[in-house]
Amino acid sequence: MHRERTFLQKLSLFFKGLVMGAANKVPGVSGGTVSFVFGFYEELIYSFRKINLKAFKLLFNGRFKSFYAYVNGPFLFLIIGGSIFSYFSVSLVLDYFLENYELYVWSWFFGMIIGSIYYIGKDFGTWNTRNRISLIIGALIGLGISFLTPARENDNLWFVFICGIIGVSGMTLPGLSGSFILILLGNYVLLLVDSVNVLLNVFSSLLSGNFEVLSDPIKIRYLKIIAVFTGGSAFGLVSLSHILGYVLKRWNKIVNAIIIGFITGSLGIVWPWKNKIYVTSNGNFLLDQKGNKIIKNYERFIPELNSLDTLLAIFFIFFGIGLILAIDYYERKRK
C-alpha cells in the first residue's frame, strides 16, 4: 500500500493528522471517523498491522531504512506527527472554544457527523438483510454507550495502561470516541488535560534551563502517568489494528455497516443541547483529586426554537454538514 507522494499530498496528510488529533481529544468525536471520511482509514490500519515481529527484527538488526519502509513510515510519520502536533496546538484552541462557546462547537460536530454518515454510506453498495441488521446493532451499541454513567478518577498505573488501550480506540474504530470512553472510565481530565498540561510545563521549564521540575514529585507522578498511558495507547493501536485488519478483510461489508451504525449511534453523545449532571452527596458536589466536579451523566433536552442561541446552533449544524459535503465535492472533482 506504500506509494510515493507529492509535497502537496504530504502536506494534506499532515493536515488530516491535525484534524484527527483534534477530534481524538474532543469527547464524543472519533478520530477514526475523520480517517474514514478523509479516505485513509484502510491505509492507517494496514500500516499499524505492519508493526509486527518482522518489523522489530529489522529494527533490532539496525536496518532502520528497511524498517521505516516496511511499516509505511512516511505515511505514519505524517499522520501521527500531525496528531501529536495537534495535541499541543489545534486541540488547545478547541479547548478554548469548548469552554466559551460549547453549544456552537457541539452543534458543529453534530453536523459534521451527520455529513459523515452520508459521506460513508453513499458508496456502501447493496443493503441486504445481514447488512441492515449489522447497521442496527452498531447504532444500538453507539447509542447505549452514550447513556452510560461515568466512573470516578483512578490513577493506578495498570488502570492507566488499560485506559490507553481503550482510549486509543477512537483512532481505529470510527464512531467510537476514545475521549468519551475516558470520561466513562473517569480519567479524561487526568490523562488528556492535567497530564498534558504538566508535560508542556516540564518541556518549557527544561528548555529554559530549569531542571528543578524533575525533582518535583507531583510532576514526576504526572510524567509517569502520561508515559504509561502512551505505552497503553501504542499497544492498543497495534493490537486493535491487527484485529480490525483481519475482520475487514473477511467481513468488509458487515464491519462497514456496523461502523456506519456506530457513528449514527454516537450522535447521542454529541447532541448539542445537554446539561451536565454532577455527583452529589448530602446536597454537596463531590470533587475529584484536582477539585473538579465529578460528572455523573448528561441531561439532554429539546431546545426552544425561538432562541437566538438555538438558531445559531442550528446554523452551525448545517455548517458542519456543508463542510463534509464540500470535502465530498472536492474529492469527486479531483478524481
Side-chain angles (χ1 to χ4, degrees):
M1 191 168 283
H2 172 70
R3 63 178 185 272
E4 292 296 325
R5 289 182 165 92
T6 65
F7 173 76
L8 285 178
Q9 288 173 327
K10 291 177 180 177
L11 192 64
S12 174
L13 265 184
F14 183 78
F15 171 76
K16 291 172 181 178
L18 279 175
V19 178
M20 187 171 73
N24 278 326
K25 191 175 179 182
V26 178
V29 185
S30 167
T33 303
V34 172
S35 66
F36 217 95
V37 171
F38 281 160
F40 63 91
Y41 178 71
E42 290 198 13
E43 185 173 3
L44 185 71
I45 297 300
Y46 166 83
S47 301
F48 285 140
R49 286 187 69 198
K50 301 298 283 185
I51 303 174
N52 51 30
L53 186 61
K54 182 179 178 180
F56 284 116
K57 285 181 179 178
L58 291 172
L59 186 63
F60 292 141
N61 290 331
R63 299 174 61 187
F64 302 115
K65 191 173 181 180
S66 298
F67 168 80
Y68 189 67
Y70 179 74
V71 300
N72 198 12
F75 169 80
L76 285 180
F77 178 78
L78 291 168
I79 291 296
I80 302 300
S83 297
I84 293 173
F85 184 77
S86 174
Y87 263 69
F88 304 103
S89 56
V90 178
S91 61
L92 297 179
V93 176
L94 269 177
D95 288 344
Y96 169 80
F97 281 103
L98 276 170
E99 186 175 343
N100 295 280
Y101 306 99
E102 185 176 21
L103 174 62
Y104 306 141
V105 174
W106 284 122
S107 300
W108 180 42
F109 286 141
F110 190 80
M112 285 198 296
I113 291 176
I114 292 175
S116 299
I117 294 167
Y118 162 76
Y119 185 93
I120 298 169
K122 64 183 176 64
D123 297 322
F124 183 85
T126 305
W127 284 95
N128 56 33
T129 302
R130 186 172 56 180
N131 294 337
R132 290 192 185 99
I133 292 173
S134 301
L135 176 76
I136 293 170
I137 290 172
L140 290 175
I141 294 172
L143 195 62
I145 288 174
S146 68
F147 288 97
L148 292 176
T149 301
R152 300 189 66 173
E153 184 175 294
N154 184 346
D155 63 356
N156 181 283
L157 293 182
W158 278 109
F159 186 71
V160 168
F161 187 81
I162 293 170
C163 285
I165 296 173
I166 299 174
V168 81
S169 58
M171 281 185 70
T172 52
L173 288 170
L176 181 61
S177 167
S179 296
F180 186 75
I181 294 298
L182 289 179
I183 285 181
L184 295 177
L185 294 173
N187 273 3
Y188 175 78
V189 173
L190 174 69
L191 299 174
L192 294 188
V193 179
D194 293 342
S195 296
V196 171
N197 290 338
V198 168
L199 183 64
L200 278 172
N201 180 263
V202 170
F203 276 150
S204 61
S205 297
L206 292 176
L207 289 173
S208 64
N210 177 16
F211 294 95
E212 292 182 2
V213 291
L214 297 178
S215 60
D216 186 333
I218 296 177
K219 287 184 170 58
I220 293 299
R221 168 181 169 265
Y222 278 111
L223 290 178
K224 286 181 180 177
I225 286 171
I226 200 164
V228 172
F229 177 67
T230 303
S233 298
F235 179 80
L237 273 178
V238 175
S239 56
L240 283 173
S241 61
H242 277 80
I243 296 169
L244 281 169
Y246 176 78
V247 297
L248 276 169
K249 187 175 181 180
R250 294 201 62 180
W251 304 289
N252 187 275
K253 285 290 186 183
I254 292 175
V255 174
N256 281 317
I258 291 174
I259 287 173
I260 295 171
F262 217 102
I263 295 173
T264 304
S266 73
L267 287 171
I269 300 174
V270 293
W271 176 254
W273 295 278
K274 55 181 178 284
N275 295 319
K276 295 173 183 175
I277 303 174
Y278 297 103
V279 178
T280 59
S281 177
N282 298 323
N284 298 316
F285 291 110
L286 293 183
L287 306 178
D288 60 22
Q289 296 177 9
K290 302 303 295 179
N292 300 305
K293 296 177 183 176
I294 300 172
I295 298 175
K296 181 180 179 182
N297 216 316
Y298 295 94
E299 180 186 21
R300 297 162 180 83
F301 61 92
I302 304 297
E304 296 180 3
L305 294 178
N306 58 354
S307 165
L308 178 61
D309 281 342
T310 302
L311 294 176
L312 282 172
I314 292 172
F315 165 77
F316 278 105
I317 289 175
F318 281 103
F319 177 73
I321 296 172
L323 187 63
I324 300 299
L325 294 180
I327 292 171
D328 176 43
Y329 174 76
Y330 169 76
E331 289 292 325
R332 284 189 285 108
K333 189 175 181 180
R334 184 175 62 84
K335 290 176 181 179

